[in-house]
Amino acid sequence: MGRRTPLTTNRLISLLALVGLAACGGGGGGGGGFTGDPGGGWTPGVFLDASTFAARCAAPRSGINPATGSPFPDVQGTTLDENNFLRSYSDNTYLWYDEITDRDPGLFATPEYFDLLKTEATTASGQPKDKFHFTFPSDEWFQLSQSGISAGYGAEWVFLSGVLPGEVVVAFTEPNSPATANGLARGAEVLFADGVELINLNTQAAFDTVIAALFPSQADETHDFTVRDLGGTQRNVSMTSANVTSTPVQNVVGIPTPTGAVVGYVHFNAHIATAESGLITAVNDLLAMGISDLVVDLRYNGGGFLDIASEFAYMIAGAGPTAGQIFENLVFNDKHPTTNPVTGVALSPTPFHTTTQNFSAPPGQPLPTLDLPRVFVLTGPNTCSASESIMNSLEGVDVEVIQIGSTTCGKPYGFFATDNCGTTYFTIQFKGENNKGFGDYTDGFSATNQTDPKGTVVPGCSVADDFTHALGDPAERRLAAALAYRENPTCPAPSGLAPPGVFKTSAGSDLSAVDGYAPKSAWHQNRIIRR
Amino acid sequence: MRSVSIMTVVGAVVFLSACKTDDVRQDVPAQIIDPTPESRAELLHVVSSTLGGRAVTIADDALTEDSLLIIEPKHLTGRDLGKPDHFRLVLSDSRCVLVHEESNARIGLTETSCAAE
């Protein structure tokens, strides 16, 4: 079978695994026996256009494609056709197409073949160069939602071991959610879910039970939990899922300092559409507080809409350093220096947006600015993609970025979701470079004193997450380090995580100094497996 | 060439029609009042249909506190270049009408009560 991601943390990914297993079973087995290749046999290094093989499916779909509103283009084809599509598409659009080992597409089931269509190189830290190569069932991927609305309890779970069995704690909660109604707060640990002990589960059934309980697929599901609150109280909670409204910008506060200056703090956890108006409100509030420094908490922000990152970077820095400068330049492989190979649109740099971009605020409105020469950023392994773009873009225009936290995830890359025959493929197609042409932070950003291995070094302090204090509490380990560094640029002993993805493996965590995975975004969800 | 000409004519007719109706309509931003299972189902159906039949998750209280409904992908990849869809609920000649701002499509809601925002 050869699937590298056998099990996952939510039902979407469980479905993916099922699809993968089914594909393996129906793919015709090993080498030989494949027919219907419109391009003839495999010739290493020779690639027909991907359109030659597109929508030629071993199991064609019928009806209307909800992603396009048009009938599915699928026609009867073979596994070999699907593999040839992926082979040609990857050769054309994959960022490191020249690092793919060209293999006979007739020898593999499609999921297995796709797994091989990527670079096998590693980074300086020893991590895979490509950590973001995955698939989704198309009918799941193309679903929509009201901005910020999802089925759940309104609790952001963090997997301290990155896998199950392992400890799971609450990172933060959404206001007016089932989680807050049941008294869950940051630092609460889930001990049992529907009768299964999380740190001792050892069967597939137990794993599935926990995943189903933690990640309800819809509203009005009731599941039973045993939780231990920060104070040590153990209690049983029965929670019913709801369509919860996410608040991407929270805890906007001004923190007075001994010198009389006020330091602003904002917890920004997702680049979703509603974040645009949330950030504008936050910046206006911070302006009213008269802040002289800002701490942006990105530790659980896996990214999202890149234009919102551009807006926020501009709101932090103001017009001075950003006028006429590049927020981010998208770079595709060397076959496509001037045109986006997926959309066909001419490439042009993304500027620092000075006005609203029609996400949740009316388009064209001037954005407020803080005009700060520096910003403190709280980070962790879940700080990813568009969040890293905020850091990188500001560094690109010489705004000082001071990083307090663990190494970020290292994803300067992006892709266009590509459906073929019911599976949506994600293969890295571009990277983002800042105004100075820098975009090589595959190992993430690490604070200066991060223990090796580290990523691209940014001034600041390596500090582990602290679940024993609320976000925005000046006593919380990362925020406290930022406030102290502001007064005197020294650091506590490094405690942050590096590289991302290597988590503790034993139970009994010190919740005041530990990191974990918050499986929010799709690729995050792909990476939580049963140990 | 022939097909282009036909499309141009059709497009012009649609455009002129839209201009004419816009001239006489008085759209007032509105909110849903007293949502019911039927009105929620209608809203879900209209939004999904407008967006090609894709499955959509919408809150039970959608459009009850605001006239704007923003729809985005359920899953984001982290570095997303797209934009969301916007639906505006308006009162138009005493009717509740949902306007898809990206396409200017207008859909009358028959199961929904609304009031000016």
Side-chain angles (χ1 to χ4, degrees), chain A residues 310-327 350-354 369 371-372 393-394 396-399 435:
Chain A
S310 171
E311 289 184 21
F312 191 37
Y314 169 75
M315 286 191 269
I316 292 168
T322 61
Q325 305 300 305
I326 294 170
F327 167 75
T350 302
F352 287 88
H353 292 306
T354 61
T369 60
D371 303 328
L372 296 171
S393 69
L394 290 174
V397 294
D398 293 325
V399 171
N435 192 59

Side-chain angles (χ1 to χ4, degrees), chain A residues 77-95:
Chain A
T78 65
T79 295
L80 181 58
D81 290 324
E82 295 189 33
N83 290 358
N84 270 319
F85 169 79
L86 293 171
R87 176 175 174 268
S88 293
Y89 188 71
S90 300
D91 181 67
N92 185 36
T93 70
Y94 186 59
L95 185 60

Side-chain angles (χ1 to χ4, degrees), chain A residues 256-278:
Chain A
T257 66
T259 62
V262 177
V263 176
Y265 169 90
V266 57
H267 170 210
F268 177 28
N269 62 57
H271 289 65
I272 59 176
T274 51
E276 182 181 60
S277 51

Side-chain angles (χ1 to χ4, degrees), chain A residues 240-446:
Chain A
T240 300
S241 63
N243 286 330
V244 175
T245 302
S246 167
T247 308
V249 184
Q250 301 187 8
N251 303 337
V252 182
V253 294
I255 302 168
T257 66
T259 62
V262 177
V263 176
Y265 169 90
V266 57
H267 170 210
F268 177 28
N269 62 57
H271 289 65
I272 59 176
T274 51
E276 182 181 60
S277 51
L279 288 169
I280 292 169
T281 300
V283 168
N284 282 325
D285 289 347
L286 294 168
L287 284 169
M289 294 173 195
I291 66 164
S292 56
D293 264 312
L294 175 65
V295 179
V296 179
D297 194 338
L298 295 173
R299 75 184 82 184
Y300 304 120
N301 193 327
F305 291 117
L306 199 60
D307 282 331
I308 291 178
S310 171
E311 289 184 21
F312 191 37
Y314 169 75
M315 286 191 269
I316 292 168
T322 61
Q325 305 300 305
I326 294 170
F327 167 75
E328 191 163 280
N329 199 23
L330 299 188
V331 177
F332 290 78
N333 69 36
D334 60 10
K335 294 181 179 182
H336 306 284
T338 59
T339 305
N340 181 325
V342 179
T343 66
V345 173
L347 296 175
S348 61
T350 302
F352 287 88
H353 292 306
T354 61
T355 60
T356 51
Q357 300 295 305
N358 198 23
F359 285 93
S360 53
Q365 305 297 308
L367 293 166
T369 60
L370 296 165
D371 303 328
L372 296 171
R374 68 176 181 181
V375 63
F376 293 82
V377 180
L378 307 188
T379 66
N382 304 291
T383 305
C384 205
S385 288
S387 291
E388 292 174 302
S389 290
I390 293 174
M391 299 172 66
N392 196 43
S393 69
L394 290 174
E395 289 171 337
V397 294
D398 293 325
V399 171
E400 185 181 10
V401 175
I402 301 163
Q403 178 179 359
I404 307 291
S406 293
T407 300
T408 64
C409 88
K411 185 171 176 282
Y413 310 115
F415 20 56
F416 290 84
T418 302
D419 165 73
N420 192 55
C421 300
T423 298
T424 293
Y425 296 93
F426 299 84
T427 188
I428 291 176
Q429 292 160 319
F430 62 85
K431 69 174 178 179
E433 294 182 346
N434 67 13
N435 192 59
K436 295 178 178 175
F438 178 73
D440 292 320
Y441 49 91
T442 309
D443 280 330
F445 291 112
S446 298

